[in-house]
Amino acid sequence: MILIRNGKTFTATGRNYENGCILIDGDKIIEVDENIGIKNDMRVIDAKGGWVIPGIIDAHCHIGLIEEGMGFEGSDINESTDPITPDLRAIDGINPLDTAFEEAVKAGITTVMTGPGSANVIGGQFVAMKTKGICVDDMIIKAPAAMKVAFGENPKRVYNSKGKMPMTRMATAALLRETLTKAKNYKQKKDSAQIKGENFDIDLKMEALIPVIQKKIPLKAHAHRADDMLTAIRIAKEFDVLLTLDHCTEGEIIAEYIKNAKVPAIVGPTLTFKGKIETKNKSFTTPKELNKAGVKVAIMTDHPVIPIQYLPMCAGLAVKEGWDLEEALKAITINAAEIIGVEDRVGSIEKGKDADIAIFDGNPLDSLTKTMYTIINGKVEYRI
C-alpha cells in the first residue's frame, strides 16, 4: 500500500484538504481523509506541503499518432484520401513508445483522449487511454470513446486540393448528414435481419457509427468558428446524437447557444500562433466566459500543436485572464473526465477510482512548479 500525506489536496469532488492523506491499495484509491494512520506495510510518500491533485487529463490530442521527431514515418494522424472514414481506429495507429508519452508522465498527465486529425468530415474513432505502457490494449480506458468529425477550413482545404467534395461548408454538412442517415438506415436493417434470423452483410463504416446513433459515444466536432459550431449543434439535434465542441475558438460569442444545447466545450489550442482565418479570435478568456455561461469546459493541447507537457500552463494562462483557479483545475481533471466519458475511473481523488495522482512542489498551473511524483494505476511512474 502507498500512503500520500502532507499535501494540499485538491480532490475535484468539492471537498479539499489543506493537509490531506490518500491511501492506495494496488491500483485503486481506498481512502481519502485529513489523517490516516501509518502502518508497517505502507510506503509513505511525503508531499512536503506541495499540491496533490488527480492525474491530469488532456481531453483532445494526437499523441502517439504523430510522433516526436519522426516526420512522415511517424505521422498516422490523417487518412486524407477519403472524406468519410469512421472505421479508422486510433488504437491501430498509436505508438505507445512515442517519446511524448514520457513528457506527459513527467508533467503529471496520466490520461489522454487521442485520435485522428481533422482532414476528413468523419475522421475515425478516438480512444481514452493511460499515458504509461508498451501495449496500447493494456492502456485503454475506453475505446471507442468518440467519433471525430470536422467542420470549417480543414476538410475544405484538403479536398479542394484534390478537386472533390467537400469544397464548401455546405458539402461538409451534407456529407455528414448523408452518412448519419445511412448509419440509421443500416442499423434498422441490421436489427430487422437479426429479428428475422436473416443473413446480413456487415459494413465496417456503418458499424463504427452505431455507437454514435445509440448515443453511447459523442461526435467529437473540430470547430473553431461560431457558425461551424452552430452547424455541429444543428446536425446533432437533427439526428439526436451526443456532441462535444472541440477547439471552440469563438465559443464565447455563442456561449448561450452552447449552454442551451447542453454541449460541453474542449477549448484550445490557445498557446499558439493565430495561423489561419478561423483562429483569429483565439483568446485565453474563452474558458472563463463559457464557464460563466454555464458550459462545462475542459482545456486541451491538441498535441503536437502545443506539446502535451504544457497543458497545465494553458490552464494557468486562462487563470491569468480572470478564470477561477479551482475551475481551471477541474478543466484538466474531473471536467475532462466527464466530457470524454471516463469519470467512473479517473478525474478525481476518491475511494474506488484508479490511483492516478500527480504531486507538485507548488501550484500545478504555475510554470515554475515542478512535478514531484506521477502515480498511474497505483505505481510511481515518475519522481523528481
Side-chain angles (χ1 to χ4, degrees):
M1 288 198 282
I2 296 176
L3 176 65
I4 302 169
R5 61 196 301 267
N6 294 332
K8 182 176 180 178
T9 305
F10 170 77
T11 67
T13 66
R15 183 177 182 186
N16 301 321
Y17 301 88
E18 278 300 316
N19 193 348
C21 292
I22 303 162
L23 186 60
I24 297 168
D25 188 5
D27 62 354
K28 299 294 181 183
I29 298 166
I30 63 169
E31 189 176 356
V32 185
D33 211 334
E34 290 182 353
N35 186 37
I36 299 174
I38 300 174
K39 297 181 181 178
N40 291 334
D41 62 344
M42 292 179 182
R43 174 186 175 183
V44 177
I45 294 177
D46 188 351
K48 299 178 181 179
W51 290 49
V52 182
I53 71 170
I56 296 172
I57 301 170
D58 193 334
H60 180 124
C61 67
H62 307 287
I63 190 170
L65 285 160
I66 182 163
E67 300 171 48
E68 296 267 4
M70 291 292 288
F72 176 78
E73 166 57 25
S75 180
D76 292 291
I77 185 172
N78 282 309
E79 182 59 45
S80 52
T81 57
D82 180 348
I84 305 296
T85 56
D87 49 330
L88 301 187
R89 301 180 185 182
I91 56 174
D92 297 324
I94 294 167
N95 181 4
L97 302 183
D98 177 5
T99 56
F101 282 106
E102 295 177 18
E103 297 298 330
V105 173
K106 288 178 183 178
I109 298 165
T110 59
T111 295
V112 291
M113 179 79 143
T114 186
S118 51
N120 295 344
V121 176
I122 304 180
Q125 300 173 10
F126 264 64
V127 60
M129 61 184 287
K130 299 295 180 75
T131 52
K132 186 66 178 181
I134 58 173
C135 174
V136 69
D137 303 82
D138 299 330
M139 301 161 73
I140 290 170
I141 304 174
K142 185 177 182 179
M147 179 62 69
K148 180 66 176 291
V149 296
F151 296 84
E153 178 179 336
N154 286 14
K156 273 166 52 78
R157 182 184 67 250
V158 169
Y159 289 97
N160 179 62
S161 69
K162 301 176 187 299
K164 62 184 291 187
M165 190 174 182
M167 296 170 64
T168 65
R169 282 177 164 82
M170 293 180 293
T172 295
L175 282 172
L176 181 54
R177 284 191 178 97
E178 178 184 11
T179 307
L180 290 173
T181 300
K182 286 180 179 178
K184 293 187 82 167
N185 292 340
Y186 173 86
K187 185 180 182 304
Q188 289 174 355
K189 291 176 182 178
K190 182 181 179 182
D191 291 346
S192 176
Q194 288 175 337
I195 291 169
K196 295 175 182 178
E198 298 174 348
N199 290 330
F200 187 81
D201 291 335
I202 296 298
D203 181 330
L204 292 181
K205 285 191 174 186
M206 296 298 103
E207 286 288 323
L209 287 165
I210 287 178
V212 175
I213 298 301
Q214 293 176 324
K215 301 178 79 168
K216 292 182 178 179
I217 63 172
L219 294 177
K220 190 172 182 66
H222 165 109
H224 287 282
R225 271 181 22 180
D227 59 331
D228 289 326
M229 286 183 274
L230 291 169
T231 297
I233 290 170
R234 184 182 309 117
I235 292 173
K237 285 182 178 178
E238 287 175 20
F239 288 89
D240 189 27
V241 296
L242 301 175
L243 176 72
T244 67
L245 291 175
D246 294 49
H247 302 304
C248 205
T249 302
E250 294 184 350
E252 59 188 286
I253 298 173
I254 56 167
E256 286 299 318
Y257 289 92
I258 298 171
K259 174 196 172 183
N260 292 339
K262 299 179 181 177
V263 173
I266 303 173
V267 180
T270 315
L271 188 62
T272 54
F273 176 66
K274 298 176 182 179
K276 52 186 181 179
I277 294 294
E278 61 187 17
T279 62
K280 66 180 181 179
N281 291 318
K282 182 163 53 176
S283 170
F284 277 108
T285 63
T286 300
K288 174 186 68 176
E289 295 303 323
L290 287 169
N291 183 225
K292 188 191 300 183
V295 177
K296 183 170 290 184
V297 177
I299 302 288
M300 59 124 122
T301 63
D302 205 20
H303 176 92
V305 181
I306 299 171
I308 196 164
Q309 60 267 32
Y310 300 132
L311 177 59
M313 184 187 299
C314 293
L317 288 168
V319 173
K320 182 180 177 182
E321 293 298 324
W323 202 19
D324 177 75
L325 172 60
E326 187 158 330
E327 290 297 326
L329 284 169
K330 287 167 62 177
I332 56 173
T333 56
I334 190 60
N335 282 10
E338 290 175 351
I339 290 170
I340 67 176
V342 294
E343 73 277 9
D344 59 324
R345 289 188 51 186
V346 297
S348 60
I349 298 175
E350 55 186 314
K351 183 178 178 179
K353 287 203 174 180
D354 291 3
D356 292 1
I357 295 168
I359 305 174
F360 301 89
D361 65 2
N363 183 337
L365 307 189
D366 189 326
S367 64
L368 299 180
T369 295
K370 295 180 179 179
T371 310
M372 297 169 63
Y373 291 87
T374 302
I375 299 169
I376 303 175
N377 295 326
K379 294 181 180 179
V380 176
E381 299 293 358
Y382 173 80
R383 63 175 299 176
I384 196 168

